[in-house]
Amino acid sequence: MDKDAMDDMFDVVIVGGGAAGLAGALTLTRARRSVLVIDSGSPRNAPAAHMHGYLGQDGESPAALLAGGRAEVARYGGEIRPGTAIAADRLPDGGFLVRCGDGSTVRAGALLVATGLVDELPAVPGLAARWGRDVLHCPYCHGWEVRDQPIAVLADGPVAVHQAQLWRQWSERTTLLAHTLRLTDGDRELLAALGVRVVEGEVTGLTVQDDRLTGVSLADGAVEGCRALVVAPRFTARSGVLSSLGLPTAALERDGHVIGTCVASDPATGATALPGVWVAGNVTAPLEKVAGAAAQGVRAAVAVNTYLIEAEGRRAVEAYRAGGA
């Protein structure tokens, strides 16, 4: 970000240039708002070659979707700057000062934070390098592409049995790798009834041939063949800017187990507890897919515009009364 562009003023600054942030920016620029998107260029789904379940865009690459979105925002006068927003301050006039990693600052009447999350992966050697390719977690995103192939589920957390049940819908050749999880008798009975094999032993690595996953290595030296490995990452909200404004993260729970963090917001609008600040996408809804994140960005943008309209109305009335006095 250009350090000479100090304290530029925008109606809205959007932190995050993924699907949620760009959808919000597109809505606000079409509403004739001055909008700046600060984009760190690190979308969560960057490792994936394709995205799915987005009507009209199924099979498109995440990079292509974002490139198209940036062009659309620019077409309506929105500005996109590469950089990392690290903190924000509330100003006396109710606006915000956003501080970036290169020392530059910008001002905004309202903030929309769509910084997403970080997937914290299990500590198995070689796993991270294949994340989003054949190491997967979401069957709605990737299940069709590995249908009927041998799928292994890594059981290192409380949702593993549920994952095995779920992925079995795409392939009857689904195996649960017990790894570090202690299965209950009820778990084992359910899996047996569903025809899901259970393989004992800790997973110590992956086997790869011709840049394709072929299996996993176990501590006893055995190799269990598979074409896809399912894991359950911990979802950690990228919340630095929000934390600087006093907005904490909350525990994300599923079936009584903590599986990550998120920033609480109104589910309909994305409004946070701090007036003038909205969130959209995985930073507040970690389980949301690309299409849902984009929809959240649109809803939040409408709420942001309403907030600005109301503030403008109050200022106009005050000026009108002062002029008539």
Side-chain angles (χ1 to χ4, degrees):
M1 190 176 292
D2 185 356
K3 292 186 180 181
D4 293 331
M6 299 293 286
D7 289 350
D8 289 349
M9 179 65 192
F10 296 87
D11 291 333
V12 186
V13 167
I14 297 177
V15 183
L22 290 175
L26 180 61
T27 302
L28 285 161
T29 53
R30 284 180 51 81
R32 309 191 72 178
R33 292 295 180 185
S34 60
V35 176
L36 171 66
V37 178
I38 301 174
D39 183 12
S40 67
S42 55
R44 177 192 180 194
N45 60 358
H50 306 95
M51 61 178 191
H52 297 281
Y54 197 148
L55 188 63
Q57 297 287 333
D58 188 75
E60 184 63 273
S61 74
L65 176 75
L66 298 185
R70 289 191 290 268
E72 290 171 353
V73 170
R75 183 189 310 158
Y76 292 103
E79 185 175 347
I80 300 172
R81 296 182 189 173
T84 301
I86 58 174
D89 303 309
R90 190 72 183 261
L91 298 173
D93 64 2
F96 299 89
L97 181 73
V98 180
R99 293 181 275 126
C100 299
D102 64 1
S104 62
T105 58
V106 292
R107 290 181 296 139
L111 294 181
L112 172 54
V113 179
T115 43
L117 60 80
V118 174
D119 293 294
E120 297 182 2
L121 302 174
V124 173
L127 186 150
R130 307 205 64 80
W131 174 239
R133 300 169 63 192
D134 37 32
V135 174
L136 313 168
H137 87 281
C138 174
Y140 301 103
C141 301
H142 302 287
W144 178 263
E145 283 64 44
V146 296
R147 65 193 183 281
D148 299 327
Q149 298 183 40
I151 297 172
V153 177
L154 183 70
D156 72 331
V159 300
V161 173
H162 169 73
Q163 284 183 304
Q165 286 182 266
L166 185 61
W167 280 84
R168 177 182 171 275
Q169 183 173 337
W170 280 264
S171 176
E172 293 184 355
R173 302 163 68 187
T174 297
T175 299
L176 182 74
L177 305 170
H179 191 46
T180 58
L181 185 67
R182 184 183 296 276
L183 297 171
T184 68
D185 291 341
D187 291 334
R188 292 182 182 277
E189 182 180 40
L190 173 63
L191 294 168
L194 293 173
V196 175
R197 293 174 54 238
V198 175
V199 173
E200 305 294 341
E202 185 174 348
V203 175
T204 57
L206 278 57
T207 61
V208 178
Q209 184 175 357
D210 297 328
D211 199 30
R212 287 195 63 188
L213 179 69
T214 58
V216 297
S217 303
L218 303 176
D220 63 2
V223 173
E224 178 67 26
C226 64
R227 287 294 187 179
L229 177 63
V230 175
V231 301
R234 178 180 173 85
F235 306 126
T236 301
R238 291 174 173 163
S239 59
V241 170
L242 296 162
S243 296
S244 72
L245 289 166
L247 292 167
T249 58
L252 175 68
E253 294 189 9
R254 183 168 185 172
D255 299 329
H257 301 284
V258 176
I259 61 172
T261 61
C262 62
V263 175
S265 68
D266 179 88
T269 66
T272 68
L274 181 61
V277 180
W278 283 258
V279 289
N282 288 156
V283 70
T284 186
L287 302 181
E288 198 62 84
K289 311 299 184 290
V290 177
Q296 286 191 333
V298 172
R299 291 196 298 269
V302 171
V304 170
N305 192 53
T306 300
Y307 168 84
L308 293 173
I309 287 172
E310 291 173 349
E312 290 161 353
R314 288 192 297 271
R315 290 194 295 270
V317 169
E318 290 172 2
Y320 179 78
R321 290 173 177 172

